[in-house]
Amino acid sequence: MADAPAPPAARDQAERLRTADQLGLQLVRFLRLSHHAKQHIMAGAKPAIERSNYALLATLVKLGPLRATALADALRSDPSTVSRQVSALVGQGLVRREPDPEDGRACVLAPTDEGSEVFRANHEHRTRLLAELLDGWSTTDQQALVRLLTRLNTEFENHQGEPA
């Protein structure tokens, strides 16, 4: 007697798992390749800035002065890690500590003029390289990539640390 075909729900679940497996493989590939690309991008920017510091500086430039805890929350990072990165950026003259206008006992972190300029130069360098990478793509495909990647990132953010 031949095996009966799987019910539609089981086929749908199996297809979802195959697709998720393919996505997982491509995400691992993408992360590995993007790690190498980030090293190339940051090395080519003048003045160059470390990848981890770029995210911190970008957040301060875009959101404005923040307390260290708010910065760690915005980056979804450990406060002690952010504290070490902030200390390095303060030492480089790219970030400054200012009294918190709402509570003078606390401080907020803000980019210096030099920090804003370093961010701008690195951001422009990255943008030009990505535009060059996507030169062979249609505008529709580029916009679809941005839309779908934004959607995937939002799903990761909304998952709140649950294993994916």
Side-chain angles (χ1 to χ4, degrees):
M1 179 186 263
D3 290 336
R11 283 195 310 268
D12 290 346
Q13 177 66 7
E15 183 59 33
R16 288 179 61 230
L17 290 174
R18 271 193 297 281
T19 300
D21 180 55
Q22 291 169 350
L23 175 61
L25 291 171
Q26 291 306 316
L27 284 173
V28 167
R29 180 179 173 213
F30 175 76
L31 290 172
R32 182 177 43 81
L33 292 169
S34 67
H35 174 74
H36 292 292
K38 283 181 200 175
Q39 290 174 332
H40 172 72
I41 289 170
M42 294 306 174
K46 302 295 180 221
I49 185 172
E50 288 185 36
R51 290 179 303 128
S52 56
N53 290 343
Y54 177 83
L56 192 147
L57 195 54
T59 303
L60 290 175
V61 167
K62 292 181 181 207
L63 298 181
L66 293 171
R67 285 188 178 189
T69 53
L71 180 58
D73 287 345
L75 292 168
R76 294 181 176 252
S77 188
D78 182 76
S80 63
T81 301
V82 168
S83 178
R84 284 190 301 277
Q85 292 171 321
V86 165
S87 292
L89 289 171
V90 168
Q92 295 168 7
L94 303 177
V95 169
R96 68 180 175 274
R97 291 182 174 96
E98 303 174 341
D100 186 334
E102 296 177 14
D103 180 356
R105 298 169 295 170
C107 73
V108 294
L109 305 164
T112 62
D113 290 343
E114 181 182 359
S116 294
E117 178 56 29
V118 166
F119 166 75
R120 186 199 58 72
N122 279 264
H123 180 78
E124 286 178 6
H125 179 72
R126 183 195 70 179
T127 299
R128 281 191 299 277
L129 286 175
L130 287 171
E132 183 180 313
L133 180 70
L134 296 176
D135 267 349
W137 294 39
S138 70
T139 301
T140 301
D141 283 350
Q142 290 180 37
Q143 291 169 346
L145 176 62
V146 170
R147 181 178 51 79
L148 292 171
L149 192 53
T150 300
R151 184 176 172 188
L152 180 62
N153 284 333
T154 300
E155 291 295 331
F156 276 119
E157 288 171 344
N158 290 339
H159 226 67
Q160 303 269 331
E162 294 177 29

